[in-house]
Amino acid sequence: MPPQIQARQRLLIKGGKVVNDDLSVVADVYVEDGVVQQVGPNLNPEPSPGLVVLDATNKLVIPGGIDTHTHMEFPFMGSRSKDDFYTGTKAAIAGGTTMIIDFAIPQKGCSLTEAFDTWKSWADPKVCCDYSLHVAVTWWSNKVKQEMESLVQNKGVNSFKMFMAYKDVYMVNDEELYEAFSCCKELGAVAQVHAENGELIAQGAKKMLAMGITGPEGHELCRPEEVEAEATQRAITIANAVNCPLYVVHVMSKSSAKVISNARREGKVVYGEPIAASLGTDGTNYWNKDWAHAAAYVMGPPLRPDPSTPGFLMNLLANGDLSVTGTDNCTFDICQKALGKDDFTKIPNGVNGVEDRMSVIWEKGVHSGKMDENRFVAVTSTNAAKIFNLYPKKGRISVGSDADIVIWDPKATSTGKYLQRHITRQITSIYLKEWSAMGFQL
């Protein structure tokens, strides 16, 4: 909430439609000290000089968004992502997201606890909104297992991410996946995977470069859909072998989404996370003649050149086959992207999205008629809160919930350039178009 409202500590939101994942109702919301105290019609709290009243007539009052996947000031591929925890969370709030979950990622052989403490030291002095941290498991040993247990018991960590890609950097093998999933199961933590076949990517990259393909299009050509789908199926199989629920981050392809959908129909506990980029644009941009434009879209897994992919993923997000949405916000400016000017394998992987996510999903999901306002709240906030043990403090507007509240104007419009107003300069946004709905205030 804005500092001036924090200081006054009392807030009354009048006349809006309160939208949760399971119910919409016209009601007032009364907040004290950052916690919802009352939700109901015609609330009249005791008048006070410190009471702030906001008129939300004809607007939606929704739980603040939770971005399940960000990488602020991340040291990666010879550079560091441009958005730090200040600019990144400032952009998040501007877009209607009131909590991010970032990743503490140790190098192979390094301490998970030290990585957690390092990321926390970067975030604590800078964040403008609530945040939490997933922790990555990039290697395996008894020490790693002990640190996972300590992080859960002493630091409140409840999710761990394993990479099946980035060979020789973060990638773990199937045996290590089995051990990590088993540990997550014992601890009651959420097991996450970046699902791509790292070995096939490495071989494919060599093949592309040998053929003289050095531009951004080589990035997609060396890691096609089947590379993502194969790893997704393998991760689900290994997780099922140890009866461990699985969360697949950044679902980018129709093939991978189908694997997740089929597994859920078989009764396996699998959550799929498409991101703003995979829902809002496609990989045809890798063939753009402007190298800087094409490079701006480079991320891993890549966006898919099949232009029907965003619509397909949105359909599955709307019907429940996919569960939550993040952004994988990991921004690099053109100078940083130019590290790979002559070799696509050296282009830092990452796109923006933390500010745009809510608007992209409203435009492509609700405005298009694929989902209603309640499902919108579910996939942008509530489901994430439930999966990561934040609910009902987060992801809901009810008595006792945190006052992470967004007033959303379903009839407002804004341009892509406006959306960039809080993004670090020099970053090329991949969402330059007019969205049909985006207006809100906190």
Side-chain angles (χ1 to χ4, degrees), residues 106 112 135-140 144 148 160-163 170 172 180:
L112 277 64
V135 177
V137 175
T138 57
W139 61 296
W140 190 255
V144 171
M148 289 174 69
F160 296 92
K161 176 183 178 181
M162 282 60 73
F163 290 86
Y170 300 131
V172 294

Side-chain angles (χ1 to χ4, degrees), residues 195 220 224-233 236 248 251-263 304 306 308-309 312-313 316 322:
E220 203 285 331
E225 281 200 29
E226 53 264 34
V227 167
E228 182 185 0
E230 183 277 332
T232 302
Q233 181 64 64
I236 291 171
V248 182
V251 177
M252 303 298 291
S253 68
K254 293 164 68 172
S255 303
S256 177
K258 289 175 184 177
V259 170
I260 293 168
S261 177
N262 291 338
R304 301 305 174 185
D306 179 351
S308 69
T309 299
F312 183 89
L313 295 179
L316 268 58
L322 299 175

Side-chain angles (χ1 to χ4, degrees), residues 12-79:
L12 178 62
I13 302 172
K14 296 282 291 182
K17 183 195 284 189
V18 176
V19 181
N20 284 308
D21 68 313
D22 58 350
L23 178 70
S24 298
V25 60
V26 176
D28 301 340
V29 179
Y30 176 60
V31 175
E32 282 187 4
D33 298 324
V35 177
V36 176
Q37 300 295 328
Q38 292 178 274
V39 180
N42 304 313
L43 297 182
N44 290 296
E46 181 181 344
S48 165
L51 178 64
V52 175
V53 180
L54 295 178
D55 182 7
T57 303
N58 298 321
K59 296 181 176 64
L60 308 181
V61 181
I62 64 175
I66 300 172
D67 189 336
T68 53
H69 191 151
T70 66
H71 295 284
M72 306 304 178
E73 53 191 278
F74 176 32
F76 185 51
M77 296 186 70
S79 194

Side-chain angles (χ1 to χ4, degrees), residues 209-248:
L209 293 172
M211 295 170 63
I213 299 174
T214 61
E217 71 277 11
H219 177 73
E220 203 285 331
L221 291 171
C222 79
R223 47 209 306 165
E225 281 200 29
E226 53 264 34
V227 167
E228 182 185 0
E230 183 277 332
T232 302
Q233 181 64 64
R234 182 157 40 99
I236 291 171
T237 301
I238 295 171
N240 187 61
V242 297
N243 199 26
C244 176
L246 185 67
Y247 182 109
V248 182

